[in-house]
Every structure is written in C-alpha cells, then in structure tokens.
Amino acid sequence: DVCSSDLLVEGVQPGAYAVSSSSPDYSPSGAPSVFQVTAGATPAKLEVRMIALSRISGRVVDGRGEGVARAQLEFIGAGRLLEESTDGTGKFELRLLPGGYTLSVVPPIGLKPPNPETDNDRVMVWTRTFYPGVSLPEAASKIVVQPGRVISGIELKLQAVPVHAVRGVLLNPDGTPAPKVAITLSEEAGQPVQRTESQSGGAFEFPAVVDG
C-alpha cells in the first residue's frame, strides 16, 4: 500500500529545499521533507513515502428509494472534513485517507417533501441523516477505510422527521412592534438555516422546525 519509485534530479543549485509529491491515487505520508544542497557534496538522498488512497462510492436515496441529486455529503474522520455532492442520479464517489469516518448527508434545498404520516397527517420534512440511516449523530456507525481498498454500494436513505411551527412577536427595546426585520433560525445538529421576516405588528413564524 506504499508507492515506490526512483527519481534523479540533476543541476540543482545550492540551498535549502522542500520536496513534496502528489498523485490522484496516493497521499503523502507526513510533512514535506526539507533538505540542504551543498556545492561539491555528495548527492542528497531522499525518501518520500506516500500512502494509497481508498475509493468509496454509493448512493443517497429518499423514502421511495429514488436517487437524491445535489445532496451534500460530509465525511468526518482522519483529522479532516471532506465534502462531496451527489450527481444527478444520487450517486457519489471520492477518495479517502485510511481511517474511521462518520458520514452524513444534508437534503438539498427544494427537495420534494415526504408524504405526511398516514395515521395523523402530521407534516414531515427531510433531515440531516447519518450512516447507516439515522437522524441522531450518536446513533451513527463509522465507516472504516483501509489503505488502497474499494468500498462500493454504500446506500444512505434520507430520514424524515415531524416538524413544529414556531411563532412569536419581535419587539423593539421600548416594547413597540418591530416589523420588516430579518430573523434567522439555525440548529447545532446541522439542519438547514431558516430565514423569515417580521410582519406588521412584529409577528413572525417558522412553519417547519424539527426537534432540537
């Protein structure tokens, strides 16, 4: 799983140099090597190690099993955050460093809402979903990636959750209504930001707020 190749570079002027490497299938292992070139000295010998990347692919689907286009994926692991979007059929593919990853997906703006619950017609919305198909981050399962391996067939099904209407009145410091003021509602678990504007009398409403 380590790339090996010999390379000779001639005609290098004296001085301090840093060497790095790049490849679509490998990633450098460790920090760039720094070395000194001195006139008349023996050639500098360097060893740059690269580790094989893994390839992961899969699909994001809705409750009907249909692919979700332009859904935003987040892979958190190996000390980094990687983002990727699904294509027009809901598929995705990217290369990862070895390690354990938490995968989540945010539904795209404008996605057709899920059907209401059959027993009470309660309004539902799509929510950030964690692999293998849960809405709570503590219930997520990690995907373990080995060097140079291929993981395919990952399917992440968007979860739907019931919503609440949040209504209120915005007031100025003196207690008078504050109309035409922009109001933003955001939530730590990564739900899309909601925006509205206070109306006459300062009234405002967020019609689709999930638990949190």
Side-chain angles (χ1 to χ4, degrees):
D1 295 327
V2 176
C3 179
S4 176
S5 179
D6 293 329
L7 177 67
L8 175 64
V9 180
E10 298 179 326
V12 179
Q13 298 297 315
Y17 292 86
V19 61
S20 60
S21 54
S22 63
S23 167
D25 298 315
Y26 291 84
S27 177
S29 177
S33 299
V34 178
F35 64 98
Q36 185 75 32
V37 173
T38 304
T42 58
K45 293 184 178 181
L46 305 172
E47 182 178 87
V48 179
R49 290 184 173 271
M50 303 184 73
I51 190 168
L53 297 174
S54 299
R55 188 168 74 248
I56 184 169
S57 62
R59 190 166 178 249
V60 175
V61 299
D62 60 16
R64 297 176 292 272
E66 299 176 355
V68 179
R70 300 179 301 281
Q72 185 68 35
L73 293 156
E74 292 185 359
F75 290 81
I76 300 177
R80 62 177 61 187
L81 166 66
L82 296 176
E83 296 181 325
E84 182 69 21
S85 297
T86 58
D87 65 12
T89 62
K91 295 180 179 179
F92 64 89
E93 180 177 335
L94 74 162
R95 288 176 168 82
L96 297 172
L97 285 168
Y101 289 85
T102 298
L103 167 61
S104 66
V105 59
V106 176
I109 297 175
L111 180 64
K112 181 181 178 181
N115 296 326
E117 292 182 333
T118 55
D119 55 347
N120 57 18
D121 293 331
R122 190 172 186 180
V123 177
M124 308 287 286
V125 296
W126 301 115
T127 187
R128 176 188 285 267
T129 304
F130 296 84
Y131 179 82
V134 295
S135 58
L136 299 176
E138 56 266 26
S141 298
K142 284 189 178 295
I143 299 174
V144 179
V145 176
Q146 302 293 339
R149 301 297 186 263
V150 176
I151 301 176
S152 60
I154 294 289
E155 183 173 276
L156 189 50
K157 185 177 180 180
L158 280 178
Q159 295 296 298
V161 294
V163 296
H164 314 274
V166 175
R167 304 182 182 94
V169 176
L170 184 66
L171 303 176
N172 291 308
D174 61 2
T176 59
K180 296 184 178 180
V181 177
I183 305 173
T184 299
L185 180 71
S186 60
E187 199 259 327
E188 291 182 353
Q191 295 296 329
V193 173
Q194 299 186 48
R195 295 180 175 85
T196 189
E197 184 179 273
S198 57
Q199 304 301 311
S200 59
F204 66 88
E205 177 180 357
F206 294 99
V209 180
V210 301
D211 290 349

